[in-house]
């Protein structure tokens, strides 16, 4: 039994968005065998950081305390988001800036380097997009996923990071149903 934090990174709370269905499929599968905590950034209220000193020494917004606690608690993180303008949505970036603060995700060390505080955790990124996933991987080189993996997750010590790319999300209902089934199976396995 794993402790899993599920982070639905879609910034809009309209339930018709496919990312919401994927997050629910994962949560449903994982909930059978694992302890889960789910967060939907669209339902959280927090300001965007504008001053680097706020990240280092500012107070965490009250509405994010449970999410930050879950980040420390979890063995495995599942982060789902739609590709927007080639990147993860700005609200999801802002969420990570708020909860992954010094003392939680990293600790200042010597010579300007940071010590990784989230070692021993793994992650799964599930990213949806309108384009074919091969185009994203080959032509665009998966830069958004690589940025999240390298600059946030691995920077804090989270590895391995596994990636599931879902392209052509508007293709067909049958394709969506197959993906929901696959993601539900990943949840049951805690992967």
């Amino acid at each position: 039994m794993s402790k899993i934090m599920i982070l639905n990174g879609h910034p809009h709370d309209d339930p018709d968005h496919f990312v919401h269905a994927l997050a629910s499929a994962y949560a449903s599968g994982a909930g059978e065998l694992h302890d889960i905590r789910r967060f939907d950034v669209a339902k959280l209220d927090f300001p965007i950081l504008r001053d680097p000193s706020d990240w280092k020494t500012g107070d965490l917004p009250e509405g994010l305390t449970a999410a930050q606690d879950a980040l420390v608690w979890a063995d495995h993180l599942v982060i789902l988001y739609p590709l927007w303008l080639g990147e993860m949505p700005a609200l999801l970036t802002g969420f990570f800036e708020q909860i992954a603060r010094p003392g939680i995700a990293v600790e200042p060390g010597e010579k300007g380097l940071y010590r990784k505080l989230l070692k021993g955790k793994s992650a799964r990124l599930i990213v949806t997009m309108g384009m074919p996933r091969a185009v994203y991987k080959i032509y665009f080189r998966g830069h958004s996923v690589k940025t999240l993996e390298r600059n946030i997750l691995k920077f804090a010590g989270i590895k391995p990071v596994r990636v599931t790319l879902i392209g052509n999300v508007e293709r067909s209902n049958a394709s969506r149903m197959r993906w929901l089934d696959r993601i539900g199976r990943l949840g049951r396995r805690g992967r």
Side-chain angles (χ1 to χ4, degrees), residues 72-147:
V72 173
W73 163 85
D75 303 315
H76 183 62
L77 282 69
V78 177
I79 303 162
L80 305 97
Y81 67 91
L83 195 66
W84 278 22
L85 297 174
E87 296 290 338
M88 68 178 165
L91 191 61
L92 182 56
T93 301
F95 173 84
F96 281 118
E97 289 174 351
Q98 285 286 6
I99 69 164
R101 292 172 180 248
I104 298 295
V106 294
E107 187 69 25
E110 296 179 21
K111 300 179 184 177
L113 300 176
Y114 283 88
R115 212 173 80 239
K116 302 169 187 224
L117 299 180
L118 299 178
K119 288 182 179 179
K121 300 177 185 297
S122 59
R124 161 85 52 189
L125 305 180
I126 301 171
V127 183
T128 64
M129 62 199 70
M131 73 180 91
R133 64 183 180 196
V135 171
Y136 178 70
K137 284 174 68 174
I138 296 167
Y139 183 77
F140 292 104
R141 298 188 177 140
H143 65 281
S144 168
V145 170
K146 289 178 184 176
T147 298

Side-chain angles (χ1 to χ4, degrees), residues 2 4 26 30 34 76 78 122 185-191:
S2 295
I4 302 173
Y26 189 96
H34 307 283
H76 183 62
V78 177
S122 59
R185 286 194 315 263
L186 283 174
R188 280 189 291 284
R189 292 178 17 223
R191 301 280 306 210

Side-chain angles (χ1 to χ4, degrees), residues 4 9 17-18 21 25 29 32 38 44 52 59 66 69-70 82 125 131-132 137 140 148 158 161 165-166 170 181-182:
I4 302 173
H17 293 298
F18 191 47
E32 296 174 15
R38 177 177 171 170
L44 299 172
D59 293 329
D69 291 345
L125 305 180
M131 73 180 91
K137 284 174 68 174
F140 292 104
L148 174 56
I158 299 170
V161 176
L165 300 176
I166 303 174
E170 303 297 328
D181 183 57
R182 287 180 198 169

Side-chain angles (χ1 to χ4, degrees), residues 58-72:
D59 293 329
L60 180 71
E62 194 173 300
L64 295 181
T65 303
Q68 191 178 63
D69 291 345
L71 177 65
V72 173

Side-chain angles (χ1 to χ4, degrees), residues 47-62:
I48 301 298
L49 293 176
R50 297 176 185 272
D51 184 337
S53 67
D54 288 340
W55 179 73
K56 292 178 182 176
T57 60
D59 293 329
L60 180 71
E62 194 173 300

